[in-house]
Amino acid sequence: MIGGARQPREDGPPPVPPSHQGCAIRSVRVQLPARRREPAGELRDRHEDGHHLHHLVWRLDPSLRVCSSAVLGGGIGPRAWILNAQVPGGYPRLDPDRHLAEIAAAEGLTGPGAGLMTAAEVAAYTTGHDGGVTATVTTGLGVRGWAAAPASATHAPHQPGTVNIVVTLPTALSDAALVNAVATATEAKVQALLDAGLDCSGTPTDAVCVAAPEPGPDGGEPFAGPRSAWGARIARAVHTAVLAGARTAR
């Protein structure tokens, strides 16, 4: 993701401005090796402005809602899709939300969605699975560092290297538990980076999405911290995926 979360549009992606309507995006599904499971997203291949890029698409069940820090469709609410799109290094555009909307439109995605962005090779994504939880991670660590950095370091321009985490689970979570799940995923990410021997807590543009069913009358699971039943599964799945990605990306 680049930048902070934007307010989601309830009527679908923002319109594509005339200056970008000619952006050439051709997308096809990529056949993956049979040994690789793909319950967490569909890998797509596209050619855009002379670059060969990939993105992952989740076409979500209507009963799901998402808590996310995504640049497009961030926040908590119903989402019809999640998109994690690769962009070239040295990304030149200043409108990542509109760019993601263009890619979503080319995929035929409609309704509100969440869009993330990274300069990491999306086709090299890694996954972790635990007790019904799936974590899918793209790992770019070229601009890694510590979250609590000196003030002088916070004004430097940030490139879209990015560790993006998408978590899906089959159990409804309350609003508080959804926020807790994002925190748990982030803690597990940092643990995995340290376990991989890296001296960092992530990159300045990391993003997290957690997708879970809408809660019913019972309000959903109230907790998703690392010692709760579902939080522990989230932590283990994210740790597995981030550790595998960090070891490859080093």
Short mmCIF file of all heavy atoms in Angstrom, two decimals, residues 36-78:
data_model
loop_
_atom_site.label_atom_id
_atom_site.label_comp_id
_atom_site.label_asym_id
_atom_site.label_seq_id
_atom_site.Cartn_x
_atom_site.Cartn_y
_atom_site.Cartn_z
N ARG A 36 0.74 -26.14 -5.65
CA ARG A 36 0.48 -24.94 -4.89
C ARG A 36 -1.02 -24.75 -4.70
O ARG A 36 -1.76 -24.65 -5.66
CB ARG A 36 1.05 -23.72 -5.60
CG ARG A 36 0.98 -22.46 -4.77
CD ARG A 36 1.78 -21.37 -5.44
NE ARG A 36 2.23 -20.40 -4.45
CZ ARG A 36 3.08 -19.44 -4.70
NH1 ARG A 36 3.59 -19.31 -5.90
NH2 ARG A 36 3.44 -18.60 -3.76
N ARG A 37 -1.45 -24.71 -3.44
CA ARG A 37 -2.86 -24.46 -3.18
C ARG A 37 -3.15 -22.97 -3.39
O ARG A 37 -2.30 -22.12 -3.16
CB ARG A 37 -3.20 -24.85 -1.74
CG ARG A 37 -3.07 -26.32 -1.47
CD ARG A 37 -3.57 -26.65 -0.09
NE ARG A 37 -2.76 -26.00 0.94
CZ ARG A 37 -3.11 -25.94 2.22
NH1 ARG A 37 -4.25 -26.46 2.61
NH2 ARG A 37 -2.33 -25.37 3.11
N GLU A 38 -4.39 -22.65 -3.78
CA GLU A 38 -4.73 -21.25 -3.96
C GLU A 38 -6.13 -20.96 -3.46
O GLU A 38 -7.01 -20.54 -4.21
CB GLU A 38 -4.61 -20.87 -5.44
CG GLU A 38 -4.66 -19.37 -5.65
CD GLU A 38 -4.32 -19.01 -7.07
OE1 GLU A 38 -3.19 -19.23 -7.48
OE2 GLU A 38 -5.19 -18.51 -7.76
N PRO A 39 -6.37 -21.18 -2.16
CA PRO A 39 -7.69 -20.85 -1.64
C PRO A 39 -7.80 -19.38 -1.33
O PRO A 39 -8.88 -18.89 -1.02
CB PRO A 39 -7.75 -21.68 -0.35
CG PRO A 39 -6.34 -21.73 0.11
CD PRO A 39 -5.50 -21.74 -1.14
N ALA A 40 -6.70 -18.64 -1.36
CA ALA A 40 -6.67 -17.29 -0.82
C ALA A 40 -6.70 -16.20 -1.86
O ALA A 40 -6.78 -15.04 -1.53
CB ALA A 40 -5.42 -17.12 0.04
N GLY A 41 -6.62 -16.52 -3.12
CA GLY A 41 -6.61 -15.48 -4.13
C GLY A 41 -6.26 -16.05 -5.48
O GLY A 41 -5.67 -17.13 -5.58
N GLU A 42 -6.63 -15.32 -6.51
CA GLU A 42 -6.37 -15.74 -7.88
C GLU A 42 -5.24 -14.90 -8.46
O GLU A 42 -5.32 -13.67 -8.47
CB GLU A 42 -7.64 -15.56 -8.71
CG GLU A 42 -7.52 -15.99 -10.15
CD GLU A 42 -8.81 -15.74 -10.92
OE1 GLU A 42 -9.85 -15.49 -10.27
OE2 GLU A 42 -8.77 -15.78 -12.16
N LEU A 43 -4.16 -15.55 -8.90
CA LEU A 43 -3.03 -14.83 -9.47
C LEU A 43 -3.34 -14.47 -10.92
O LEU A 43 -3.73 -15.32 -11.71
CB LEU A 43 -1.77 -15.69 -9.40
CG LEU A 43 -0.48 -15.02 -9.91
CD1 LEU A 43 -0.09 -13.84 -9.03
CD2 LEU A 43 0.66 -16.04 -9.97
N ARG A 44 -3.16 -13.19 -11.24
CA ARG A 44 -3.44 -12.68 -12.59
C ARG A 44 -2.18 -12.03 -13.16
O ARG A 44 -1.32 -11.54 -12.42
CB ARG A 44 -4.57 -11.67 -12.55
CG ARG A 44 -5.85 -12.20 -11.92
CD ARG A 44 -6.61 -13.10 -12.84
NE ARG A 44 -7.25 -12.34 -13.91
CZ ARG A 44 -8.06 -12.86 -14.80
NH1 ARG A 44 -8.35 -14.15 -14.77
NH2 ARG A 44 -8.61 -12.12 -15.74
N ASP A 45 -2.10 -12.05 -14.46
CA ASP A 45 -0.96 -11.53 -15.21
C ASP A 45 -1.44 -10.36 -16.06
O ASP A 45 -2.50 -10.45 -16.68
CB ASP A 45 -0.41 -12.67 -16.08
CG ASP A 45 0.69 -12.21 -17.02
OD1 ASP A 45 0.37 -11.59 -18.05
OD2 ASP A 45 1.85 -12.51 -16.74
N ARG A 46 -0.70 -9.25 -16.07
CA ARG A 46 -1.12 -8.11 -16.90
C ARG A 46 0.08 -7.40 -17.52
O ARG A 46 1.20 -7.48 -17.00
CB ARG A 46 -1.97 -7.12 -16.10
CG ARG A 46 -1.22 -6.18 -15.19
CD ARG A 46 -2.18 -5.32 -14.37
NE ARG A 46 -1.49 -4.24 -13.68
CZ ARG A 46 -0.87 -4.37 -12.51
NH1 ARG A 46 -0.87 -5.53 -11.89
NH2 ARG A 46 -0.26 -3.33 -11.96
N HIS A 47 -0.18 -6.73 -18.62
CA HIS A 47 0.82 -5.90 -19.29
C HIS A 47 0.32 -4.47 -19.24
O HIS A 47 -0.78 -4.17 -19.71
CB HIS A 47 1.04 -6.38 -20.72
CG HIS A 47 1.66 -7.74 -20.79
ND1 HIS A 47 3.03 -7.94 -20.84
CD2 HIS A 47 1.10 -8.97 -20.78
CE1 HIS A 47 3.28 -9.24 -20.87
NE2 HIS A 47 2.11 -9.89 -20.84
N GLU A 48 1.14 -3.60 -18.67
CA GLU A 48 0.70 -2.23 -18.41
C GLU A 48 1.85 -1.27 -18.69
O GLU A 48 2.91 -1.35 -18.05
CB GLU A 48 0.24 -2.12 -16.96
CG GLU A 48 -0.28 -0.77 -16.56
CD GLU A 48 -0.72 -0.75 -15.11
OE1 GLU A 48 -1.23 -1.78 -14.63
OE2 GLU A 48 -0.54 0.28 -14.48
N ASP A 49 1.66 -0.39 -19.66
CA ASP A 49 2.66 0.64 -19.98
C ASP A 49 4.05 0.03 -20.19
O ASP A 49 5.06 0.56 -19.72
CB ASP A 49 2.72 1.70 -18.88
CG ASP A 49 1.42 2.48 -18.76
OD1 ASP A 49 0.70 2.57 -19.77
OD2 ASP A 49 1.13 2.97 -17.66
N GLY A 50 4.10 -1.10 -20.87
CA GLY A 50 5.36 -1.73 -21.20
C GLY A 50 5.93 -2.63 -20.11
O GLY A 50 7.00 -3.21 -20.29
N HIS A 51 5.22 -2.77 -19.00
CA HIS A 51 5.69 -3.61 -17.89
C HIS A 51 4.86 -4.89 -17.81
O HIS A 51 3.65 -4.88 -18.01
CB HIS A 51 5.57 -2.86 -16.56
CG HIS A 51 6.42 -1.63 -16.47
ND1 HIS A 51 7.78 -1.66 -16.25
CD2 HIS A 51 6.09 -0.32 -16.59
CE1 HIS A 51 8.26 -0.45 -16.22
NE2 HIS A 51 7.25 0.40 -16.43
N HIS A 52 5.53 -6.00 -17.49
CA HIS A 52 4.86 -7.27 -17.25
C HIS A 52 4.71 -7.42 -15.74
O HIS A 52 5.70 -7.54 -15.01
CB HIS A 52 5.68 -8.41 -17.83
CG HIS A 52 5.06 -9.76 -17.64
ND1 HIS A 52 5.77 -10.93 -17.65
CD2 HIS A 52 3.77 -10.13 -17.41
CE1 HIS A 52 4.98 -11.95 -17.45
NE2 HIS A 52 3.74 -11.49 -17.30
N LEU A 53 3.47 -7.38 -15.25
CA LEU A 53 3.19 -7.33 -13.82
C LEU A 53 2.16 -8.38 -13.43
O LEU A 53 1.54 -9.00 -14.29
CB LEU A 53 2.66 -5.93 -13.45
CG LEU A 53 3.56 -4.75 -13.83
CD1 LEU A 53 2.79 -3.44 -13.74
CD2 LEU A 53 4.81 -4.71 -12.94
N HIS A 54 2.00 -8.57 -12.13
CA HIS A 54 1.02 -9.52 -11.62
C HIS A 54 0.17 -8.86 -10.54
O HIS A 54 0.56 -7.85 -9.95
CB HIS A 54 1.70 -10.75 -11.01
CG HIS A 54 2.47 -11.57 -12.00
ND1 HIS A 54 3.80 -11.34 -12.28
CD2 HIS A 54 2.09 -12.60 -12.80
CE1 HIS A 54 4.22 -12.20 -13.19
NE2 HIS A 54 3.20 -12.98 -13.53
N HIS A 55 -0.98 -9.43 -10.31
CA HIS A 55 -1.79 -9.03 -9.17
C HIS A 55 -2.60 -10.23 -8.68
O HIS A 55 -2.84 -11.18 -9.41
CB HIS A 55 -2.72 -7.85 -9.50
CG HIS A 55 -3.56 -8.03 -10.71
ND1 HIS A 55 -3.13 -7.72 -11.98
CD2 HIS A 55 -4.84 -8.47 -10.85
CE1 HIS A 55 -4.10 -7.96 -12.85
NE2 HIS A 55 -5.15 -8.43 -12.19
N LEU A 56 -2.98 -10.16 -7.42
CA LEU A 56 -3.83 -11.17 -6.80
C LEU A 56 -5.23 -10.58 -6.61
O LEU A 56 -5.38 -9.43 -6.21
CB LEU A 56 -3.28 -11.59 -5.44
CG LEU A 56 -2.08 -12.55 -5.45
CD1 LEU A 56 -1.41 -12.56 -4.08
CD2 LEU A 56 -2.50 -13.96 -5.83
N VAL A 57 -6.24 -11.40 -6.89
CA VAL A 57 -7.63 -10.97 -6.76
C VAL A 57 -8.38 -11.95 -5.88
O VAL A 57 -8.32 -13.17 -6.09
CB VAL A 57 -8.33 -10.89 -8.14
CG1 VAL A 57 -9.79 -10.50 -7.97
CG2 VAL A 57 -7.62 -9.90 -9.05
N TRP A 58 -9.09 -11.43 -4.90
CA TRP A 58 -10.03 -12.21 -4.10
C TRP A 58 -11.44 -11.73 -4.47
O TRP A 58 -11.75 -10.54 -4.29
CB TRP A 58 -9.82 -11.98 -2.61
CG TRP A 58 -8.58 -12.57 -2.02
CD1 TRP A 58 -8.47 -13.68 -1.23
CD2 TRP A 58 -7.23 -12.05 -2.11
NE1 TRP A 58 -7.18 -13.88 -0.84
CE2 TRP A 58 -6.40 -12.90 -1.37
CE3 TRP A 58 -6.67 -10.94 -2.76
CZ2 TRP A 58 -5.02 -12.68 -1.25
CZ3 TRP A 58 -5.32 -10.72 -2.64
CH2 TRP A 58 -4.51 -11.59 -1.90
N ARG A 59 -12.27 -12.60 -4.97
CA ARG A 59 -13.67 -12.28 -5.25
C ARG A 59 -14.47 -12.82 -4.07
O ARG A 59 -14.68 -14.02 -3.94
CB ARG A 59 -14.11 -12.89 -6.59
CG ARG A 59 -13.22 -12.41 -7.74
CD ARG A 59 -13.51 -13.12 -9.05
NE ARG A 59 -12.44 -12.90 -10.00
CZ ARG A 59 -12.37 -11.90 -10.87
NH1 ARG A 59 -13.36 -11.01 -10.91
NH2 ARG A 59 -11.35 -11.76 -11.70
N LEU A 60 -14.91 -11.91 -3.21
CA LEU A 60 -15.41 -12.30 -1.90
C LEU A 60 -16.89 -12.64 -1.91
O LEU A 60 -17.69 -12.07 -2.65
CB LEU A 60 -15.16 -11.16 -0.89
CG LEU A 60 -13.70 -10.73 -0.72
CD1 LEU A 60 -13.62 -9.60 0.30
CD2 LEU A 60 -12.82 -11.90 -0.29
N ASP A 61 -17.25 -13.56 -1.03
CA ASP A 61 -18.64 -13.89 -0.79
C ASP A 61 -19.35 -12.66 -0.22
O ASP A 61 -18.76 -11.91 0.58
CB ASP A 61 -18.71 -15.04 0.20
CG ASP A 61 -20.12 -15.54 0.40
OD1 ASP A 61 -20.84 -14.94 1.22
OD2 ASP A 61 -20.49 -16.55 -0.23
N PRO A 62 -20.61 -12.41 -0.59
CA PRO A 62 -21.32 -11.23 -0.08
C PRO A 62 -21.44 -11.18 1.43
O PRO A 62 -21.70 -10.10 1.99
CB PRO A 62 -22.71 -11.35 -0.74
CG PRO A 62 -22.49 -12.20 -1.94
CD PRO A 62 -21.41 -13.15 -1.58
N SER A 63 -21.27 -12.31 2.09
CA SER A 63 -21.43 -12.33 3.55
C SER A 63 -20.17 -11.84 4.28
O SER A 63 -20.16 -11.77 5.51
CB SER A 63 -21.76 -13.74 4.02
OG SER A 63 -20.65 -14.62 3.80
N LEU A 64 -19.10 -11.53 3.55
CA LEU A 64 -17.85 -11.15 4.19
C LEU A 64 -17.73 -9.64 4.33
O LEU A 64 -18.25 -8.86 3.53
CB LEU A 64 -16.65 -11.65 3.38
CG LEU A 64 -16.45 -13.16 3.30
CD1 LEU A 64 -15.20 -13.48 2.49
CD2 LEU A 64 -16.34 -13.78 4.67
N ARG A 65 -17.01 -9.24 5.37
CA ARG A 65 -16.63 -7.84 5.50
C ARG A 65 -15.13 -7.80 5.78
O ARG A 65 -14.52 -8.80 6.19
CB ARG A 65 -17.41 -7.13 6.59
CG ARG A 65 -17.18 -7.65 7.99
CD ARG A 65 -17.94 -6.79 8.98
NE ARG A 65 -17.69 -7.22 10.34
CZ ARG A 65 -17.87 -6.45 11.40
NH1 ARG A 65 -18.32 -5.21 11.25
NH2 ARG A 65 -17.63 -6.90 12.62
N VAL A 66 -14.54 -6.64 5.57
CA VAL A 66 -13.08 -6.51 5.62
C VAL A 66 -12.70 -5.35 6.53
O VAL A 66 -13.34 -4.29 6.51
CB VAL A 66 -12.51 -6.27 4.20
CG1 VAL A 66 -11.02 -5.96 4.25
CG2 VAL A 66 -12.77 -7.50 3.32
N CYS A 67 -11.67 -5.57 7.32
CA CYS A 67 -11.01 -4.51 8.07
C CYS A 67 -9.63 -4.32 7.44
O CYS A 67 -8.87 -5.28 7.34
CB CYS A 67 -10.87 -4.88 9.54
SG CYS A 67 -10.04 -3.62 10.54
N SER A 68 -9.33 -3.11 6.99
CA SER A 68 -8.15 -2.95 6.17
C SER A 68 -7.55 -1.56 6.27
O SER A 68 -8.25 -0.58 6.53
CB SER A 68 -8.53 -3.26 4.72
OG SER A 68 -7.91 -2.44 3.81
N SER A 69 -6.23 -1.49 6.06
CA SER A 69 -5.53 -0.22 5.94
C SER A 69 -5.22 0.09 4.48
O SER A 69 -4.33 0.88 4.18
CB SER A 69 -4.23 -0.26 6.76
OG SER A 69 -3.36 -1.28 6.28
N ALA A 70 -5.95 -0.52 3.55
CA ALA A 70 -5.69 -0.39 2.12
C ALA A 70 -5.87 1.05 1.65
O ALA A 70 -6.72 1.80 2.15
CB ALA A 70 -6.62 -1.30 1.33
N VAL A 71 -5.09 1.43 0.64
CA VAL A 71 -5.17 2.78 0.09
C VAL A 71 -6.50 3.01 -0.63
O VAL A 71 -7.01 4.13 -0.68
CB VAL A 71 -3.98 3.04 -0.86
CG1 VAL A 71 -4.05 2.19 -2.10
CG2 VAL A 71 -3.89 4.52 -1.21
N LEU A 72 -7.09 1.96 -1.17
CA LEU A 72 -8.42 2.02 -1.77
C LEU A 72 -9.37 1.17 -0.93
O LEU A 72 -9.13 -0.01 -0.74
CB LEU A 72 -8.38 1.50 -3.21
CG LEU A 72 -9.74 1.38 -3.92
CD1 LEU A 72 -10.39 2.75 -4.11
CD2 LEU A 72 -9.59 0.67 -5.26
N GLY A 73 -10.44 1.77 -0.41
CA GLY A 73 -11.43 1.01 0.34
C GLY A 73 -10.99 0.59 1.71
O GLY A 73 -11.46 -0.43 2.23
N GLY A 74 -10.09 1.36 2.35
CA GLY A 74 -9.68 1.03 3.70
C GLY A 74 -10.80 1.26 4.71
O GLY A 74 -11.80 1.91 4.41
N GLY A 75 -10.64 0.73 5.91
CA GLY A 75 -11.64 0.86 6.95
C GLY A 75 -12.30 -0.48 7.23
O GLY A 75 -11.75 -1.53 6.93
N ILE A 76 -13.49 -0.44 7.83
CA ILE A 76 -14.26 -1.65 8.13
C ILE A 76 -15.59 -1.58 7.40
O ILE A 76 -16.29 -0.58 7.47
CB ILE A 76 -14.54 -1.79 9.64
CG1 ILE A 76 -13.24 -1.92 10.43
CG2 ILE A 76 -15.41 -3.01 9.91
CD1 ILE A 76 -13.45 -2.02 11.93
N GLY A 77 -15.93 -2.65 6.68
CA GLY A 77 -17.22 -2.69 6.02
C GLY A 77 -17.29 -3.80 5.00
O GLY A 77 -16.31 -4.52 4.75
N PRO A 78 -18.45 -3.98 4.36
CA PRO A 78 -18.59 -5.00 3.33
C PRO A 78 -17.69 -4.68 2.14
O PRO A 78 -17.60 -3.53 1.71
CB PRO A 78 -20.07 -4.91 2.93
CG PRO A 78 -20.72 -4.08 3.99
CD PRO A 78 -19.68 -3.21 4.57
#
